[in-house]
Amino acid sequence: MPRLSVWMVRAALLHLGFGFFLGGLILWQKGPGGIPGAWQWLPVHIHMVLMGWTVQLAFGVAYWILPRFAQREAEQGRVEQLRGREGLAWASFVLFNASTLTALAAPLGWAWALPISGILAALAGFAFVLHAWPRVKPFMA
């Protein structure tokens, strides 16, 4: 598995764990002795589980699985296959995680955190699409 896929899958698992933790705190609010103000973390919980876990896991697996067509010489005479514009895929990883960290500021009173987080997530998705587009080719018999 390529290094970027490993980082994306691990980050997705961290988002899943933290998103479920926030979801548990929000559900605890419904019971007696709950945490006041836990519902303000709902948008962060949704963002963590939807974007941080689901989308980032899908992108990590797609980066690993999509076909590779170009080759380059690697060290010691090995030939390795290129995975397209890797810089865009790394940018997508950084933007997704920056998006999630920005969303964490919303319940703390920063009103623009969620819109900025959404813009960063959209840029991350766009960067990954630009990366993956040339790797999607029709099957030739």
Side-chain angles (χ1 to χ4, degrees):
M1 181 179 275
R3 183 181 318 209
L4 178 58
S5 289
V6 170
W7 279 97
M8 281 185 163
V9 170
R10 285 180 179 170
L13 289 170
L14 287 174
H15 285 98
L16 177 70
F18 193 67
F20 277 17
F21 174 75
L22 283 176
L25 289 178
I26 292 167
L27 285 176
W28 189 12
Q29 171 64 27
K30 288 182 147 187
I35 301 167
W39 282 99
Q40 68 185 355
W41 290 92
L42 183 63
V44 178
H45 163 70
I46 292 169
H47 188 82
M48 288 251 176
V49 176
L50 181 64
M51 299 303 289
W53 158 246
T54 310
V55 174
Q56 191 161 222
L57 180 70
F59 281 6
V61 172
Y63 180 78
W64 173 37
I65 277 308
L66 285 175
R68 297 160 293 202
F69 295 102
Q71 294 181 347
R72 72 171 170 212
E73 289 286 327
E75 66 276 350
Q76 302 170 355
R78 272 188 321 123
V79 174
E80 69 180 17
Q81 299 214 319
L82 298 176
R83 295 180 186 276
R85 294 174 266 183
E86 295 182 27
L88 287 171
W90 278 102
S92 175
F93 171 69
V94 169
L95 286 168
F96 260 121
N97 290 292
S99 168
T100 304
L101 290 175
T102 304
L104 285 172
L108 303 176
W110 194 29
W112 287 94
L114 287 177
I116 290 173
S117 177
I119 290 168
L120 289 173
L123 288 173
F126 187 66
F128 196 83
V129 167
L130 285 177
H131 153 75
W133 193 270
R135 291 178 65 185
V136 178
K137 303 214 186 250
F139 179 73
M140 304 289 258

